[in-house]
Amino acid sequence: MDSENPRDGDFELVTLRNGSRAVRHLGHGEVMHPSVGPWQEALRLYVEQPRLSERLRTPGEPLVIHDVGLGAATNAVAALTCARELGSERRRALELVSFEVDLAPLRLALADAAGFPFLQPFREAAEALMRDGVWEGEGLRWRLHLGDAQGLIDSGLPRADLVFFDPFSPASNPEMWTTRVLTQVRVCCREDGEGALLLTYSAATPTRVTLLLAGFYVGAGMSTGTKGETTVAATRRESLALPLGERWLERWRRSSSRAPHGEPLTPELEARVLAHPQWRVG
């Protein structure tokens, strides 16, 4: 085995130009969190952006996160770390439901303590998750759904307050970005209270069109690394800091990438995008 780039099944560890370690898929070559490194991206997009610490300081029912694309568990552990670091300030439990089809990235990351130091405080939790499918402690519950997420995302899940939508890109993993799958994700989101937010790194026009067709309201998200913008979707428009508006709609009308992922833009789908309540303000 290459000591510099250890491998496990379809995955290997690599070192990014900034020195961070990351996981790469050997088949399509895509790297998880390729720009600023996994930890900084996880904190910025999935912890700071949805104000996770503020949510956990607010008394209420357990806060539920659907973590779609566990990977090396970076996003999941970022959320767990946030919850644990709040200590006595935390006023509600955290329930994390992770979806993954292959645990090789997590095994590789756990074996490289120097490259993924942020995982080490939750090493035992991650090992229990892989072994037993669940880990619990200190008002925290972490569950694993191992297998094809398309068949596992269903109405039997606890309703999500937050969705970390972080599978491989539409180019590498197209089946996870379809209207059908994102509609399933939408069905499992909380409707009451503040509703739910979905956070994803992709700001591509087809991604945003697909989210609109799946029933979400869609807005611009924080920048990260080389990405000037990411995407936040919500079950309620008022939950979005920067909702897409007429300017985006005009650009979409002129775009050469107007279709949702995985299907052509039919007149019926175009009419649905234009009739979306996203554009009805006031």
Side-chain angles (χ1 to χ4, degrees):
M1 177 183 290
D2 185 341
S3 60
E4 185 66 27
N5 290 63
R7 295 184 176 186
D8 185 330
D10 293 330
F11 297 87
E12 69 174 348
L13 289 183
V14 295
T15 303
L16 304 178
R17 276 182 286 185
N18 66 3
S20 297
R21 294 287 270 171
V23 178
R24 178 167 61 194
H25 191 282
L26 290 166
H28 48 65
E30 192 166 319
V31 176
M32 297 177 178
H33 307 272
S35 52
V36 295
W39 189 239
Q40 291 306 314
E41 182 166 298
L43 291 176
R44 183 165 173 79
L45 294 192
Y46 302 106
V47 173
E48 295 168 10
Q49 181 166 236
R51 310 182 325 278
L52 182 58
S53 60
E54 181 182 323
R55 291 170 181 266
L56 291 171
R57 286 189 180 98
T58 304
E61 298 175 355
L63 187 144
V64 177
I65 297 174
H66 291 176
D67 172 41
V68 184
L70 172 68
T74 309
N75 301 334
V77 167
L80 292 167
T81 299
C82 172
R84 179 176 281 178
E85 288 181 347
L86 285 173
S88 61
E89 294 181 40
R90 181 156 56 93
R91 293 290 184 266
R92 61 197 297 197
L94 175 64
E95 181 166 357
L96 185 61
V97 185
S98 291
F99 298 86
E100 185 51 75
V101 71
D102 192 334
L103 295 176
L106 181 52
R107 289 193 297 265
L108 283 168
L110 287 174
D112 185 3
F116 297 82
F118 45 84
L119 297 183
Q120 295 309 305
F122 286 94
R123 167 180 281 280
E124 290 184 10
E127 290 172 346
L129 186 80
M130 291 191 290
R131 182 182 64 246
D132 306 324
V134 64
W135 170 82
E136 295 188 54
E138 307 165 357
L140 306 173
R141 188 164 192 254
W142 190 9
R143 287 194 284 152
L144 173 66
H145 282 276
L146 184 60
D148 183 358
Q150 298 176 68
L152 291 170
I153 300 170
D154 60 37
S155 57
L157 293 169
R159 292 291 183 265
D161 296 278
L162 298 174
V163 179
F164 297 170
F165 197 76
D166 196 21
F168 279 119
S169 72
S172 301
N173 191 14
E175 60 274 11
M176 279 301 295
W177 296 82
T178 62
T179 304
R180 183 180 68 82
V181 169
L182 284 165
T183 298
Q184 287 182 297
V185 173
R186 173 67 178 79
V187 167
C188 294
C189 285
R190 179 180 292 278
E191 296 284 354
D192 59 337
E194 291 185 69
L197 290 182
L198 177 148
L199 309 115
T200 186
Y201 60 86
S202 174
T205 298
T207 296
R208 292 175 169 181
V209 172
T210 308
L211 285 164
L212 289 165
L213 291 171
F216 286 99
Y217 294 90
V218 181
M222 284 183 169
S223 64
T224 175
T226 56
K227 289 182 179 291
E229 207 170 82
T230 55
T231 297
V232 180
T235 56
R236 295 174 176 239
R237 191 182 190 279
E238 57 268 27
S239 298
L240 295 172
L242 297 168
L244 304 182
E246 284 295 328
R247 185 177 176 188
W248 182 89
L249 197 58
E250 285 302 317
R251 287 204 307 269
W252 173 72
R253 286 188 173 105
R254 299 191 302 268
S255 174
S256 59
S257 303
R258 302 177 67 220
H261 290 300
E263 57 186 319
L265 184 71
T266 63
E268 186 267 335
L269 290 182
E270 182 174 17
R272 281 175 55 194
V273 171
L274 293 171
H276 195 290
Q278 172 99 13
W279 322 120
R280 297 198 296 269
V281 181

PDB file of all heavy atoms in Angstrom, residues 50-82:
ATOM      1  N   PRO A  50     -25.891  28.010   8.795  1.00  0.00           N
ATOM      2  CA  PRO A  50     -27.245  27.866   9.350  1.00  0.00           C
ATOM      3  C   PRO A  50     -27.342  28.267  10.821  1.00  0.00           C
ATOM      4  O   PRO A  50     -28.369  28.017  11.444  1.00  0.00           O
ATOM      5  CB  PRO A  50     -27.525  26.375   9.179  1.00  0.00           C
ATOM      6  CG  PRO A  50     -26.191  25.736   9.320  1.00  0.00           C
ATOM      7  CD  PRO A  50     -25.217  26.700   8.690  1.00  0.00           C
ATOM      8  N   ARG A  51     -26.270  28.903  11.366  1.00  0.00           N
ATOM      9  CA  ARG A  51     -26.268  29.351  12.768  1.00  0.00           C
ATOM     10  C   ARG A  51     -26.610  28.187  13.702  1.00  0.00           C
ATOM     11  O   ARG A  51     -27.497  28.263  14.542  1.00  0.00           O
ATOM     12  CB  ARG A  51     -27.249  30.508  12.987  1.00  0.00           C
ATOM     13  CG  ARG A  51     -27.114  31.651  12.012  1.00  0.00           C
ATOM     14  CD  ARG A  51     -28.088  32.800  12.300  1.00  0.00           C
ATOM     15  NE  ARG A  51     -29.366  32.361  12.808  1.00  0.00           N
ATOM     16  CZ  ARG A  51     -30.379  31.914  12.048  1.00  0.00           C
ATOM     17  NH1 ARG A  51     -30.245  31.824  10.734  1.00  0.00           N
ATOM     18  NH2 ARG A  51     -31.521  31.548  12.608  1.00  0.00           N
ATOM     19  N   LEU A  52     -25.862  27.103  13.537  1.00  0.00           N
ATOM     20  CA  LEU A  52     -26.165  25.882  14.286  1.00  0.00           C
ATOM     21  C   LEU A  52     -26.060  26.100  15.793  1.00  0.00           C
ATOM     22  O   LEU A  52     -26.909  25.623  16.555  1.00  0.00           O
ATOM     23  CB  LEU A  52     -25.239  24.746  13.838  1.00  0.00           C
ATOM     24  CG  LEU A  52     -25.471  23.390  14.510  1.00  0.00           C
ATOM     25  CD1 LEU A  52     -26.904  22.909  14.286  1.00  0.00           C
ATOM     26  CD2 LEU A  52     -24.471  22.365  14.005  1.00  0.00           C
ATOM     27  N   SER A  53     -25.031  26.818  16.238  1.00  0.00           N
ATOM     28  CA  SER A  53     -24.885  27.026  17.677  1.00  0.00           C
ATOM     29  C   SER A  53     -26.068  27.801  18.246  1.00  0.00           C
ATOM     30  O   SER A  53     -26.575  27.485  19.336  1.00  0.00           O
ATOM     31  CB  SER A  53     -23.570  27.746  17.992  1.00  0.00           C
ATOM     32  OG  SER A  53     -23.528  29.011  17.366  1.00  0.00           O
ATOM     33  N   GLU A  54     -26.547  28.796  17.502  1.00  0.00           N
ATOM     34  CA  GLU A  54     -27.706  29.571  17.938  1.00  0.00           C
ATOM     35  C   GLU A  54     -28.953  28.693  18.031  1.00  0.00           C
ATOM     36  O   GLU A  54     -29.741  28.792  18.976  1.00  0.00           O
ATOM     37  CB  GLU A  54     -27.940  30.724  16.971  1.00  0.00           C
ATOM     38  CG  GLU A  54     -29.102  31.631  17.327  1.00  0.00           C
ATOM     39  CD  GLU A  54     -29.296  32.721  16.292  1.00  0.00           C
ATOM     40  OE1 GLU A  54     -28.281  33.237  15.763  1.00  0.00           O
ATOM     41  OE2 GLU A  54     -30.457  33.054  15.998  1.00  0.00           O
ATOM     42  N   ARG A  55     -29.123  27.820  17.058  1.00  0.00           N
ATOM     43  CA  ARG A  55     -30.265  26.911  17.074  1.00  0.00           C
ATOM     44  C   ARG A  55     -30.215  25.983  18.284  1.00  0.00           C
ATOM     45  O   ARG A  55     -31.249  25.673  18.897  1.00  0.00           O
ATOM     46  CB  ARG A  55     -30.295  26.083  15.783  1.00  0.00           C
ATOM     47  CG  ARG A  55     -30.636  26.881  14.530  1.00  0.00           C
ATOM     48  CD  ARG A  55     -30.392  26.045  13.277  1.00  0.00           C
ATOM     49  NE  ARG A  55     -30.695  26.776  12.061  1.00  0.00           N
ATOM     50  CZ  ARG A  55     -31.851  26.743  11.417  1.00  0.00           C
ATOM     51  NH1 ARG A  55     -32.830  25.977  11.875  1.00  0.00           N
ATOM     52  NH2 ARG A  55     -32.040  27.443  10.321  1.00  0.00           N
ATOM     53  N   LEU A  56     -29.008  25.502  18.599  1.00  0.00           N
ATOM     54  CA  LEU A  56     -28.871  24.566  19.718  1.00  0.00           C
ATOM     55  C   LEU A  56     -28.976  25.260  21.077  1.00  0.00           C
ATOM     56  O   LEU A  56     -29.213  24.599  22.086  1.00  0.00           O
ATOM     57  CB  LEU A  56     -27.540  23.819  19.617  1.00  0.00           C
ATOM     58  CG  LEU A  56     -27.443  22.816  18.454  1.00  0.00           C
ATOM     59  CD1 LEU A  56     -26.026  22.292  18.319  1.00  0.00           C
ATOM     60  CD2 LEU A  56     -28.419  21.660  18.650  1.00  0.00           C
ATOM     61  N   ARG A  57     -28.797  26.559  21.098  1.00  0.00           N
ATOM     62  CA  ARG A  57     -28.990  27.317  22.345  1.00  0.00           C
ATOM     63  C   ARG A  57     -30.467  27.606  22.621  1.00  0.00           C
ATOM     64  O   ARG A  57     -30.822  28.039  23.710  1.00  0.00           O
ATOM     65  CB  ARG A  57     -28.235  28.652  22.285  1.00  0.00           C
ATOM     66  CG  ARG A  57     -26.727  28.551  22.427  1.00  0.00           C
ATOM     67  CD  ARG A  57     -26.129  29.943  22.564  1.00  0.00           C
ATOM     68  NE  ARG A  57     -24.696  29.918  22.709  1.00  0.00           N
ATOM     69  CZ  ARG A  57     -23.835  30.121  21.706  1.00  0.00           C
ATOM     70  NH1 ARG A  57     -24.301  30.371  20.485  1.00  0.00           N
ATOM     71  NH2 ARG A  57     -22.537  30.086  21.919  1.00  0.00           N
ATOM     72  N   THR A  58     -31.310  27.403  21.623  1.00  0.00           N
ATOM     73  CA  THR A  58     -32.739  27.700  21.742  1.00  0.00           C
ATOM     74  C   THR A  58     -33.477  26.457  22.220  1.00  0.00           C
ATOM     75  O   THR A  58     -33.439  25.417  21.556  1.00  0.00           O
ATOM     76  CB  THR A  58     -33.309  28.148  20.392  1.00  0.00           C
ATOM     77  OG1 THR A  58     -32.559  29.270  19.912  1.00  0.00           O
ATOM     78  CG2 THR A  58     -34.776  28.536  20.524  1.00  0.00           C
ATOM     79  N   PRO A  59     -34.154  26.513  23.366  1.00  0.00           N
ATOM     80  CA  PRO A  59     -34.849  25.323  23.874  1.00  0.00           C
ATOM     81  C   PRO A  59     -35.868  24.788  22.875  1.00  0.00           C
ATOM     82  O   PRO A  59     -36.505  25.553  22.144  1.00  0.00           O
ATOM     83  CB  PRO A  59     -35.550  25.836  25.148  1.00  0.00           C
ATOM     84  CG  PRO A  59     -34.772  27.049  25.546  1.00  0.00           C
ATOM     85  CD  PRO A  59     -34.309  27.671  24.267  1.00  0.00           C
ATOM     86  N   GLY A  60     -36.004  23.476  22.840  1.00  0.00           N
ATOM     87  CA  GLY A  60     -36.973  22.869  21.941  1.00  0.00           C
ATOM     88  C   GLY A  60     -36.764  21.380  21.806  1.00  0.00           C
ATOM     89  O   GLY A  60     -35.948  20.769  22.518  1.00  0.00           O
ATOM     90  N   GLU A  61     -37.485  20.781  20.870  1.00  0.00           N
ATOM     91  CA  GLU A  61     -37.334  19.366  20.567  1.00  0.00           C
ATOM     92  C   GLU A  61     -35.931  19.129  19.993  1.00  0.00           C
ATOM     93  O   GLU A  61     -35.249  20.071  19.595  1.00  0.00           O
ATOM     94  CB  GLU A  61     -38.386  18.949  19.546  1.00  0.00           C
ATOM     95  CG  GLU A  61     -39.820  19.100  20.019  1.00  0.00           C
ATOM     96  CD  GLU A  61     -40.809  18.774  18.916  1.00  0.00           C
ATOM     97  OE1 GLU A  61     -40.371  18.532  17.769  1.00  0.00           O
ATOM     98  OE2 GLU A  61     -42.016  18.759  19.205  1.00  0.00           O
ATOM     99  N   PRO A  62     -35.509  17.861  19.938  1.00  0.00           N
ATOM    100  CA  PRO A  62     -34.200  17.580  19.334  1.00  0.00           C
ATOM    101  C   PRO A  62     -34.091  18.183  17.933  1.00  0.00           C
ATOM    102  O   PRO A  62     -35.037  18.116  17.138  1.00  0.00           O
ATOM    103  CB  PRO A  62     -34.173  16.043  19.278  1.00  0.00           C
ATOM    104  CG  PRO A  62     -35.040  15.613  20.409  1.00  0.00           C
ATOM    105  CD  PRO A  62     -36.147  16.636  20.472  1.00  0.00           C
ATOM    106  N   LEU A  63     -32.957  18.796  17.656  1.00  0.00           N
ATOM    107  CA  LEU A  63     -32.690  19.341  16.329  1.00  0.00           C
ATOM    108  C   LEU A  63     -32.212  18.191  15.452  1.00  0.00           C
ATOM    109  O   LEU A  63     -31.264  17.475  15.808  1.00  0.00           O
ATOM    110  CB  LEU A  63     -31.637  20.445  16.401  1.00  0.00           C
ATOM    111  CG  LEU A  63     -31.394  21.208  15.092  1.00  0.00           C
ATOM    112  CD1 LEU A  63     -31.101  22.671  15.375  1.00  0.00           C
ATOM    113  CD2 LEU A  63     -30.251  20.601  14.291  1.00  0.00           C
ATOM    114  N   VAL A  64     -32.867  18.008  14.319  1.00  0.00           N
ATOM    115  CA  VAL A  64     -32.585  16.863  13.450  1.00  0.00           C
ATOM    116  C   VAL A  64     -31.840  17.330  12.202  1.00  0.00           C
ATOM    117  O   VAL A  64     -32.273  18.264  11.518  1.00  0.00           O
ATOM    118  CB  VAL A  64     -33.885  16.145  13.041  1.00  0.00           C
ATOM    119  CG1 VAL A  64     -33.584  14.999  12.072  1.00  0.00           C
ATOM    120  CG2 VAL A  64     -34.621  15.628  14.284  1.00  0.00           C
ATOM    121  N   ILE A  65     -30.724  16.658  11.921  1.00  0.00           N
ATOM    122  CA  ILE A  65     -29.947  16.916  10.701  1.00  0.00           C
ATOM    123  C   ILE A  65     -29.937  15.653   9.852  1.00  0.00           C
ATOM    124  O   ILE A  65     -29.609  14.571  10.350  1.00  0.00           O
ATOM    125  CB  ILE A  65     -28.501  17.321  11.021  1.00  0.00           C
ATOM    126  CG1 ILE A  65     -28.454  18.630  11.813  1.00  0.00           C
ATOM    127  CG2 ILE A  65     -27.680  17.457   9.733  1.00  0.00           C
ATOM    128  CD1 ILE A  65     -27.059  19.009  12.292  1.00  0.00           C
ATOM    129  N   HIS A  66     -30.306  15.785   8.580  1.00  0.00           N
ATOM    130  CA  HIS A  66     -30.112  14.715   7.614  1.00  0.00           C
ATOM    131  C   HIS A  66     -28.821  14.999   6.868  1.00  0.00           C
ATOM    132  O   HIS A  66     -28.713  16.008   6.158  1.00  0.00           O
ATOM    133  CB  HIS A  66     -31.297  14.627   6.647  1.00  0.00           C
ATOM    134  CG  HIS A  66     -32.558  14.145   7.281  1.00  0.00           C
ATOM    135  ND1 HIS A  66     -33.754  14.069   6.593  1.00  0.00           N
ATOM    136  CD2 HIS A  66     -32.826  13.722   8.551  1.00  0.00           C
ATOM    137  CE1 HIS A  66     -34.693  13.612   7.410  1.00  0.00           C
ATOM    138  NE2 HIS A  66     -34.162  13.402   8.590  1.00  0.00           N
ATOM    139  N   ASP A  67     -27.854  14.130   7.052  1.00  0.00           N
ATOM    140  CA  ASP A  67     -26.508  14.280   6.508  1.00  0.00           C
ATOM    141  C   ASP A  67     -26.388  13.371   5.289  1.00  0.00           C
ATOM    142  O   ASP A  67     -26.049  12.197   5.411  1.00  0.00           O
ATOM    143  CB  ASP A  67     -25.507  13.900   7.610  1.00  0.00           C
ATOM    144  CG  ASP A  67     -24.070  13.825   7.161  1.00  0.00           C
ATOM    145  OD1 ASP A  67     -23.653  14.703   6.381  1.00  0.00           O
ATOM    146  OD2 ASP A  67     -23.363  12.897   7.603  1.00  0.00           O
ATOM    147  N   VAL A  68     -26.708  13.920   4.113  1.00  0.00           N
ATOM    148  CA  VAL A  68     -26.790  13.115   2.892  1.00  0.00           C
ATOM    149  C   VAL A  68     -25.420  13.105   2.216  1.00  0.00           C
ATOM    150  O   VAL A  68     -25.026  14.073   1.565  1.00  0.00           O
ATOM    151  CB  VAL A  68     -27.873  13.657   1.936  1.00  0.00           C
ATOM    152  CG1 VAL A  68     -27.996  12.747   0.713  1.00  0.00           C
ATOM    153  CG2 VAL A  68     -29.213  13.758   2.648  1.00  0.00           C
ATOM    154  N   GLY A  69     -24.703  12.006   2.398  1.00  0.00           N
ATOM    155  CA  GLY A  69     -23.336  11.898   1.921  1.00  0.00           C
ATOM    156  C   GLY A  69     -22.376  12.008   3.092  1.00  0.00           C
ATOM    157  O   GLY A  69     -21.683  13.013   3.251  1.00  0.00           O
ATOM    158  N   LEU A  70     -22.330  10.976   3.931  1.00  0.00           N
ATOM    159  CA  LEU A  70     -21.465  10.984   5.123  1.00  0.00           C
ATOM    160  C   LEU A  70     -20.005  11.182   4.750  1.00  0.00           C
ATOM    161  O   LEU A  70     -19.290  11.942   5.389  1.00  0.00           O
ATOM    162  CB  LEU A  70     -21.650   9.666   5.887  1.00  0.00           C
ATOM    163  CG  LEU A  70     -20.690   9.395   7.053  1.00  0.00           C
ATOM    164  CD1 LEU A  70     -20.952  10.362   8.203  1.00  0.00           C
ATOM    165  CD2 LEU A  70     -20.814   7.947   7.524  1.00  0.00           C
ATOM    166  N   GLY A  71     -19.551  10.472   3.705  1.00  0.00           N
ATOM    167  CA  GLY A  71     -18.155  10.592   3.284  1.00  0.00           C
ATOM    168  C   GLY A  71     -17.196  10.273   4.411  1.00  0.00           C
ATOM    169  O   GLY A  71     -17.302   9.232   5.069  1.00  0.00           O
ATOM    170  N   ALA A  72     -16.280  11.189   4.687  1.00  0.00           N
ATOM    171  CA  ALA A  72     -15.323  11.017   5.779  1.00  0.00           C
ATOM    172  C   ALA A  72     -15.866  11.581   7.090  1.00  0.00           C
ATOM    173  O   ALA A  72     -15.114  11.798   8.038  1.00  0.00           O
ATOM    174  CB  ALA A  72     -14.000  11.687   5.428  1.00  0.00           C
ATOM    175  N   ALA A  73     -17.159  11.845   7.145  1.00  0.00           N
ATOM    176  CA  ALA A  73     -17.863  12.310   8.354  1.00  0.00           C
ATOM    177  C   ALA A  73     -17.483  13.721   8.775  1.00  0.00           C
ATOM    178  O   ALA A  73     -17.755  14.131   9.899  1.00  0.00           O
ATOM    179  CB  ALA A  73     -17.653  11.353   9.524  1.00  0.00           C
ATOM    180  N   THR A  74     -16.891  14.486   7.876  1.00  0.00           N
ATOM    181  CA  THR A  74     -16.441  15.827   8.245  1.00  0.00           C
ATOM    182  C   THR A  74     -17.605  16.734   8.621  1.00  0.00           C
ATOM    183  O   THR A  74     -17.560  17.417   9.649  1.00  0.00           O
ATOM    184  CB  THR A  74     -15.652  16.459   7.080  1.00  0.00           C
ATOM    185  OG1 THR A  74     -14.652  15.539   6.642  1.00  0.00           O
ATOM    186  CG2 THR A  74     -14.971  17.728   7.530  1.00  0.00           C
ATOM    187  N   ASN A  75     -18.651  16.753   7.802  1.00  0.00           N
ATOM    188  CA  ASN A  75     -19.798  17.621   8.106  1.00  0.00           C
ATOM    189  C   ASN A  75     -20.499  17.162   9.379  1.00  0.00           C
ATOM    190  O   ASN A  75     -20.901  17.982  10.218  1.00  0.00           O
ATOM    191  CB  ASN A  75     -20.790  17.623   6.940  1.00  0.00           C
ATOM    192  CG  ASN A  75     -20.172  18.109   5.643  1.00  0.00           C
ATOM    193  OD1 ASN A  75     -19.210  18.863   5.652  1.00  0.00           O
ATOM    194  ND2 ASN A  75     -20.727  17.666   4.529  1.00  0.00           N
ATOM    195  N   ALA A  76     -20.663  15.849   9.518  1.00  0.00           N
ATOM    196  CA  ALA A  76     -21.317  15.303  10.705  1.00  0.00           C
ATOM    197  C   ALA A  76     -20.538  15.651  11.967  1.00  0.00           C
ATOM    198  O   ALA A  76     -21.115  16.104  12.969  1.00  0.00           O
ATOM    199  CB  ALA A  76     -21.463  13.789  10.566  1.00  0.00           C
ATOM    200  N   VAL A  77     -19.231  15.464  11.926  1.00  0.00           N
ATOM    201  CA  VAL A  77     -18.413  15.733  13.112  1.00  0.00           C
ATOM    202  C   VAL A  77     -18.335  17.236  13.391  1.00  0.00           C
ATOM    203  O   VAL A  77     -18.255  17.653  14.549  1.00  0.00           O
ATOM    204  CB  VAL A  77     -17.013  15.097  12.959  1.00  0.00           C
ATOM    205  CG1 VAL A  77     -16.042  15.614  14.014  1.00  0.00           C
ATOM    206  CG2 VAL A  77     -17.137  13.577  13.052  1.00  0.00           C
ATOM    207  N   ALA A  78     -18.407  18.060  12.355  1.00  0.00           N
ATOM    208  CA  ALA A  78     -18.455  19.507  12.585  1.00  0.00           C
ATOM    209  C   ALA A  78     -19.700  19.871  13.396  1.00  0.00           C
ATOM    210  O   ALA A  78     -19.636  20.687  14.325  1.00  0.00           O
ATOM    211  CB  ALA A  78     -18.443  20.260  11.259  1.00  0.00           C
ATOM    212  N   ALA A  79     -20.835  19.258  13.069  1.00  0.00           N
ATOM    213  CA  ALA A  79     -22.068  19.513  13.810  1.00  0.00           C
ATOM    214  C   ALA A  79     -21.972  18.977  15.232  1.00  0.00           C
ATOM    215  O   ALA A  79     -22.368  19.651  16.199  1.00  0.00           O
ATOM    216  CB  ALA A  79     -23.252  18.881  13.086  1.00  0.00           C
ATOM    217  N   LEU A  80     -21.445  17.772  15.392  1.00  0.00           N
ATOM    218  CA  LEU A  80     -21.297  17.181  16.729  1.00  0.00           C
ATOM    219  C   LEU A  80     -20.327  17.991  17.578  1.00  0.00           C
ATOM    220  O   LEU A  80     -20.551  18.185  18.781  1.00  0.00           O
ATOM    221  CB  LEU A  80     -20.810  15.735  16.604  1.00  0.00           C
ATOM    222  CG  LEU A  80     -21.803  14.747  15.988  1.00  0.00           C
ATOM    223  CD1 LEU A  80     -21.098  13.433  15.639  1.00  0.00           C
ATOM    224  CD2 LEU A  80     -22.966  14.487  16.932  1.00  0.00           C
ATOM    225  N   THR A  81     -19.254  18.475  16.970  1.00  0.00           N
ATOM    226  CA  THR A  81     -18.277  19.296  17.692  1.00  0.00           C
ATOM    227  C   THR A  81     -18.915  20.595  18.175  1.00  0.00           C
ATOM    228  O   THR A  81     -18.714  21.022  19.312  1.00  0.00           O
ATOM    229  CB  THR A  81     -17.069  19.602  16.787  1.00  0.00           C
ATOM    230  OG1 THR A  81     -16.451  18.367  16.407  1.00  0.00           O
ATOM    231  CG2 THR A  81     -16.050  20.479  17.498  1.00  0.00           C
ATOM    232  N   CYS A  82     -19.698  21.226  17.295  1.00  0.00           N
ATOM    233  CA  CYS A  82     -20.413  22.447  17.674  1.00  0.00           C
ATOM    234  C   CYS A  82     -21.300  22.192  18.881  1.00  0.00           C
ATOM    235  O   CYS A  82     -21.294  22.965  19.851  1.00  0.00           O
ATOM    236  CB  CYS A  82     -21.243  22.934  16.485  1.00  0.00           C
ATOM    237  SG  CYS A  82     -22.352  24.309  16.859  1.00  0.00           S
TER     238      CYS A  82
END
